Amino acid sequence: MKIPEFCRNILQTADGKALGTYSQETGVNVVPVSSLRLDGDTIILVNYFFSKTLSNIEANKEVSLAAWKGLKGCQIKADAVYETEGERFDSVVVWIAETIPGRVVKGILVLTPLKCYDVSAGAEAGKEIEG
């Protein structure tokens, strides 16, 4: 799906971001997300410390990413793929070396959005946002 402009803006300027995963073995897991990059209509998250997150994604590729700025926010339900090599991974390693020197990129999560929802305070909360 095409990422709606509202979600694209929130993702690029967010005060906070959190990724939710689930597996039968470990249950629900939510982690803060720091480094995020948009690549067309995919979302790239950088793995510095993921542990349970990766275990959950191996068992269940469906994830939920929430991002917010003040009282405006969005939730994106997506499928996740983990990469530790390749052109996209290499470009993220260069990007992080330039922006956060010394930080080690262990891998990247590539999210393919399936649905987007408005989680802003107010009457639109919970409504799907079309891409």
Side-chain angles (χ1 to χ4, degrees):
M1 85 170 278
K2 183 172 171 43
I3 299 174
E5 197 60 35
F6 173 79
C7 294
R8 188 175 290 280
N9 289 338
I10 293 289
L11 290 169
Q12 292 174 323
T13 62
D15 296 327
K17 301 175 287 290
L19 179 69
T21 61
Y22 174 82
S23 74
Q24 291 250 283
E25 186 176 315
T26 62
V28 175
N29 185 56
V30 178
V31 295
V33 173
S34 58
S35 300
L36 179 149
R37 174 184 248 181
L38 295 178
D39 182 17
D41 284 308
T42 60
I43 301 164
I44 298 172
L45 306 178
V46 182
N47 172 20
Y48 307 115
F49 309 110
F50 295 155
S51 179
K52 275 192 251 174
T53 299
L54 291 181
S55 296
N56 281 2
I57 289 170
E58 286 176 11
N60 178 3
K61 67 179 182 171
E62 295 177 41
V63 301
S64 179
L65 175 66
W68 59 92
K69 182 168 184 69
L71 296 177
K72 299 278 186 194
C74 66
Q75 175 197 31
I76 298 176
K77 292 189 179 186
D79 285 336
V81 174
Y82 189 62
E83 297 179 2
T84 57
E85 60 185 14
E87 196 174 308
R88 186 165 33 200
F89 173 80
D90 293 342
S91 74
V92 169
V93 169
V94 169
W95 168 54
I96 295 302
E98 292 170 352
T99 58
I100 313 171
R103 187 62 69 98
V104 176
V105 176
K106 295 180 181 177
I108 59 173
L109 280 178
V110 180
L111 307 186
T112 302
L114 303 171
K115 294 195 181 252
C116 297
Y117 297 92
D118 191 332
V119 296
S120 304
E124 298 299 307
K127 290 191 177 179
E128 186 172 348
I129 303 169
E130 299 294 328

